Amino acid sequence: MGKITGFMEFQRQEEGYLPPATRLKNYAEFVIPLTNEQAKVQGARCMDCGIPFCNNGCPVNNIIPDWNDLVYRGNYREALDTLHSTNNFPEFTGRICPAPCEAACTLGISEDPVGIKSIEHKIIDEGWEHGWVVPQPAARQTGKKVAVVGSGPAGLAAAQQLARAGHAVTVFEKSDRIGGLLRYGIPDFKMEKSHIDRRIEQMKAEGVVFRTSVLIGKDFPANVNNWAKETIFPEDLEKEFDAVVLAGGAEQPRDLPVPGRELKGVHFAMDFLPQQNKVNAGDKVKDQIKAAGKHVVVIGGGDTGSDCVGTSNRQGAASVTQFELMPMPPEQENKPLVWPYWPTKLRTSSSHDEGCERDWAVATKRLEGKGGKLEKLVACRVEWKDGKMVEVPNSEFEMKADLVFLAMGFVSPVASILDAFGVDKDGRGNAKATTDGEGCYKTSAAKVFAAGDVRRGQSLVVWAIREGRQCARAVDEFLMGSSELPR
Ligand SMILES: Cc1cc2nc3c(=O)[nH]c(=O)nc-3n(C[C@H](O)[C@H](O)[C@H](O)COP(=O)(O)OP(=O)(O)OC[C@H]3O[C@@H](n4cnc5c(N)ncnc54)[C@H](O)[C@@H]3O)c2cc1C
Ligand code: SF4
């Protein structure tokens, strides 16, 4: 423990943000990381709890008290090794993780929690800056071949762990670039894509082969992005590889079956967001959906909706409104009741701060327009009684809308892909596999494993990394009889 009285002396120090007027001019990241001095002070606030709840609250079980202490002492090199021992990609989580570790921090019971995420961000930035993040190729090859289907955080974590265990790993991705939702869901202003590119280079040097624009499967639904130029059937993949990891995410979007859904101007969030990421990467996008000068309504109050808000504002929308079906949560959680768990409370993202009207307990009844083009949205207020949603009498209202983005989450993975592999599904349509005990991460299909959103349903980057790592160990055990990869 760095400074014994640190938690009493120092306040939480937040990372800085560029002002909205500056950051709205482009799609670049705008968070100003802590300086070395600020990070030292933040590290000094950690109490090195006998039972570090932060470590348990973190899905990858980051060894937080140890690296807090190392940062306090200015030993970034060792802090990086400790951080990498549990997390392959801290530059992703240090930027976009909602930080369940901080909700679990013991200091948070009475004070502001330790700024764990900002310290993680600082450690990995120092690591890259000093050239400490280098390829770690396996000392020897096993001769076994593993195919990873999907290149989001789950697929990448699994691929890196398996390559480091000496297996020949090929990652197949139906998009034209690697990264999954890190690349084509999450906007650049939350995480610039150069962070993914650096990791891909590291992984290539560790022996991982990447094949983009290749769909593994057979049929694919029209309402999910697929830019593949080549298709490989599951049975052909299984012939060539000793094990297959399915890490294709939960891509089937939740639709809004109301009259007028077919009007021009109504889009899934994942039609809109990837286009801007592509444009930022220098691609030409034909008929790009653009919010410039338009009245935008985002339906859905989560992360995806918030990303539509930030992107619409950057494109120059005339107005942006976001509706959520559930009632507005409390501004502050009841700490003694919920700690150390993730609390339900009002969350205002940096995108909301940039300009957005938000409204809760609103249900869309229909969309209306002329000549096939969206013009307005008709909604009503709702109440929740005994778990059931009821319309508030005489509460119907309408608002001008040129664009509506549907950001109501994802129902499941694409069923036809799981079917093509003959993988059993759970009650929610996810690939069925347990996460501990013998046979964990293994699906009902021979030599086929599953990790990340495809197994757990839509979730978080940090959970995808955890599952990718744990799945890699399960595959290694399956191939070799035992494994030295971390659990
Ligand atoms: C807009 C948006 C914003 C988000 N923001 C955050 C955030 O700020 N913080 C956070 O923690 N989480 C966030 N999330 C959630 C997070 O991105 C996901 O939980 C995470 O990326 C899941 O990782 P994954 O590897 O399981 O799948 P994905 O990231 O979905 O990657 C799956 C990949 O597999 C490919 N694929 C699928 N099927 C096939 C196939 N048959 N053949 C070949 N390739 C295939 C897909 O093209 C995709 O690239 C966000 C999600 C969205 C949609
Ligand atoms: S719970 Fe908070 S104070 Fe305790 S060890 Fe973790 S970060 Fe430090």
Side-chain angles (χ1 to χ4, degrees):
M1 176 176 181
K3 186 158 196 204
I4 291 176
T5 52
F7 70 98
M8 295 193 289
E9 285 175 50
F10 306 120
Q11 298 300 309
R12 180 180 163 102
Q13 169 86 50
E14 299 289 347
E15 293 179 307
Y17 282 8
L18 293 176
T22 311
R23 64 195 201 223
L24 278 175
K25 288 187 184 136
N26 57 45
Y27 292 85
E29 285 181 12
F30 51 79
V31 172
I32 306 163
L34 300 184
T35 62
N36 286 33
E37 194 44 47
Q38 288 169 331
K40 180 181 168 80
V41 168
Q42 201 50 224
R45 293 185 72 231
C46 176
M47 302 184 293
D48 191 13
C49 303
I51 298 172
F53 280 84
C54 55
N55 166 265
N56 199 43
C58 170
V60 290
N61 302 119
N62 274 335
I63 310 165
I64 295 162
D66 287 21
W67 42 258
N68 281 345
D69 177 57
L70 289 161
V71 166
Y72 171 72
R73 294 174 197 287
N75 188 349
Y76 278 96
R77 182 73 228 234
E78 213 180 306
L80 182 70
D81 291 344
T82 312
L83 179 53
H84 266 151
S85 72
T86 54
N87 185 350
N88 296 62
F89 312 120
E91 64 275 37
F92 305 161
T93 44
R95 283 174 172 77
I96 53 168
C97 189
C101 55
E102 293 188 13
C105 173
T106 322
L107 187 55
I109 298 173
S110 54
E111 308 277 334
D112 287 331
V114 175
I116 300 169
K117 180 178 163 186
S118 63
I119 297 179
E120 177 182 43
H121 186 180
K122 178 74 184 164
I123 296 170
I124 184 62
D125 278 7
E126 288 283 314
W128 282 108
E129 203 178 306
H130 288 92
W132 298 330
V133 187
V134 291
Q136 299 173 33
R140 59 194 153 73
Q141 295 300 309
T142 62
K144 303 282 184 191
K145 292 172 75 179
V146 184
V148 175
V149 181
S151 69
L156 291 180
Q160 185 162 59
Q161 294 295 94
L162 286 163
R164 288 178 177 177
H167 305 302
V169 181
T170 305
V171 176
F172 295 91
E173 170 56 59
K174 66 179 160 60
S175 292
D176 54 352
R177 290 185 177 90
I178 294 296
L181 288 173
L182 295 166
R183 173 78 65 181
Y184 282 132
I186 293 167
D188 291 18
F189 55 83
K190 271 168 62 180
M191 195 187 97
E192 287 174 9
K193 307 312 170 205
S194 55
H195 303 298
I196 311 172
D197 298 336
R198 282 198 294 209
R199 279 296 174 183
I200 295 170
E201 287 313 308
Q202 182 198 34
M203 290 174 66
K204 280 182 181 165
E206 290 169 353
V208 178
V209 173
F210 291 99
R211 289 192 56 193
T212 51
S213 304
V214 181
L215 174 80
I216 308 295
K218 282 183 179 152
D219 311 319
F220 203 77
N223 63 0
V224 177
N225 290 325
N226 176 19
W227 304 313
K229 295 192 175 126
E230 184 189 341
T231 300
I232 296 178
F233 291 164
E235 53 270 31
D236 294 332
L237 195 77
E238 283 164 351
K239 259 184 233 148
E240 197 187 331
F241 290 89
D242 300 298
V244 176
V245 175
L246 297 183
E251 294 193 292
Q252 196 65 60
R254 181 167 287 111
D255 210 339
L256 184 69
V258 295
R261 164 65 182 92
E262 73 294 344
L263 290 169
K264 195 165 178 293
V266 186
H267 304 276
F268 284 120
M270 282 303 290
D271 291 334
F272 174 57
L273 296 171
Q275 290 189 344
Q276 188 57 52
N277 285 354
K278 275 180 160 284
V279 170
N280 295 345
D283 291 359
K284 282 207 167 50
V285 173
K286 205 168 153 252
D287 302 326
Q288 187 189 354
I289 305 160
K290 279 212 179 126
K294 295 193 177 149
H295 296 281
V296 176
V297 180
V298 179
I299 301 179
D303 265 343
T304 307
S306 163
D307 291 347
C308 290
V309 170
T311 304
S312 299
N313 276 325
R314 277 167 182 71
Q315 292 185 353
S319 70
V320 184
T321 307
Q322 188 178 20
F323 289 141
E324 166 59 49
L325 195 60
M326 302 304 288
M328 185 172 149
E331 285 195 22
Q332 274 307 323
E333 73 270 39
N334 184 346
K335 258 277 150 59
L337 205 65
V338 293
W339 178 87
Y341 299 110
W342 184 247
T344 302
K345 66 173 180 181
L346 180 66
R347 293 180 194 276
T348 300
S349 72
S350 55
S351 292
H352 295 133
D353 285 339
E354 290 161 3
C356 168
E357 287 296 321
R358 299 163 81 188
D359 206 344
W360 286 264
V362 171
T364 304
K365 292 181 83 172
R366 61 186 179 276
L367 301 158
E368 294 181 1
K370 268 197 205 115
K373 202 165 153 263
L374 175 72
E375 288 188 341
K376 67 180 174 198
L377 173 147
V378 181
C380 67
R381 307 219 156 258
V382 292
E383 283 176 333
W384 293 84
K385 287 186 181 156
D386 301 327
K388 283 208 180 110
M389 188 181 84
V390 281
E391 182 174 343
V392 175
N394 304 318
S395 67
E396 194 170 291
F397 67 96
E398 55 181 56
M399 71 181 302
K400 191 168 167 42
D402 305 308
L403 273 180
V404 162
F405 294 129
L406 306 177
M408 300 164 303
F410 299 85
V411 276
S412 67
V414 171
S416 61
I417 297 296
L418 298 184
D419 293 343
F421 276 94
V423 164
D424 284 353
K425 303 185 204 87
D426 66 15
R428 293 177 302 149
N430 301 322
K432 195 170 170 187
T434 59
T435 55
D436 49 24
E438 208 177 316
C440 62
Y441 291 96
K442 170 90 177 45
T443 69
S444 56
K447 67 183 183 182
V448 178
F449 294 73
D453 283 9
V454 74
R455 196 205 64 79
R456 60 185 292 117
Q458 65 164 358
S459 183
L460 294 173
V461 169
V462 68
W463 278 105
I465 295 174
R466 171 198 170 107
E467 294 216 349
R469 288 173 63 85
Q470 292 190 338
C471 179
R473 183 186 157 96
V475 172
D476 193 29
E477 267 175 348
F478 168 78
L479 294 173
M480 309 303 291
S482 66
S483 175
E484 285 175 11
L485 288 174
R487 233 173 261 277

